């Protein structure tokens, strides 16, 4: 439960540490499951200000992108990972980590889960948005290793 509320509770903390310039060009492009070919219908397309999830004809585009600042990681972190947060000022339905597990060219996307426990107005609003999106059901790539495809692929 604490992990589920973390994005909601810390968004103001990270706001000052988040970079407003958008997603760096080095992370733009099409990302597919690491064990798939680049013509996979299951994909994530990352642009400067938007992440689009696709699974065949089903698509969901998420904006409000912020790159997490240094405060996202433990003090003294000096690795190569970078974190993208969607709908930063809202329920933050998806978070994408580039160079995941300190591996260049790897990525991981995580979808926000519905919060359980005693309902509150905040959790009700959060659950309504996350439940309506249904990202984990529609796009089976939650916490799955991703690779970036060459610009000419898919």
């Amino acid at each position: 439960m604490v992990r589920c509320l973390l994005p909601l509770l810390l968004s103001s903390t990270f706001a000052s540490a988040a970079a407003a310039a958008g997603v760096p060009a080095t992370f733009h492009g099409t990302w597919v499951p690491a064990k798939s070919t680049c013509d996979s219908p299951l994909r994530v397309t990352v642009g400067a200000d938007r992440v689009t999830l696709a699974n065949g004809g089903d698509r969901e585009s998420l904006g409000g992108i912020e790159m997490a600042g240094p405060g996202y990681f433990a003090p003294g972190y000096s690795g190569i990972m970078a974190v993208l947060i969607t709908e930063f000022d809202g329920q933050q339905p998806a978070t994408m980590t580039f160079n995941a597990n300190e591996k260049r060219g790897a990525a991981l996307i995580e979808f926000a889960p519905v919060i359980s426990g005693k309902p509150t107005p905040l959790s009700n609003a959060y659950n309504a948005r996350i439940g309506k999106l249904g990202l984990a059901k529609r796009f089976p790539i939650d916490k799955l290793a991703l690779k970036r495809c060459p610009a000419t692929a898919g």
Side-chain angles (χ1 to χ4, degrees), residues 27 31-34 44 46 82 96-101 103-110 141 143-148:
F27 304 128
W31 297 79
V32 298
V44 179
V46 177
M96 192 164 178
T97 303
F98 300 101
N99 298 324
N101 299 315
K103 183 178 176 189
R104 282 199 193 282
L108 185 76
I109 193 160
E110 295 184 62
I141 54 173
K143 301 178 186 87
L144 188 67
L146 304 172
K147 66 180 179 186
R148 191 167 72 170

Side-chain angles (χ1 to χ4, degrees), residues 42-112:
L42 183 58
R43 59 187 49 238
V44 179
T45 303
V46 177
D49 64 353
R50 188 152 297 285
V51 169
T52 303
L53 305 164
N55 187 7
D58 187 8
R59 299 204 184 306
E60 189 68 49
S61 187
L62 302 169
I65 303 295
E66 293 283 349
M67 294 299 294
Y72 186 85
F73 296 103
Y77 175 76
S78 62
I80 60 172
M81 292 191 296
V83 176
L84 170 157
I85 302 168
T86 63
E87 297 182 8
F88 187 76
D89 291 334
Q91 280 74 31
Q92 303 175 3
T95 302
M96 192 164 178
T97 303
F98 300 101
N99 298 324
N101 299 315
E102 304 298 331
K103 183 178 176 189
R104 282 199 193 282
L108 185 76
I109 193 160
E110 295 184 62
F111 300 134

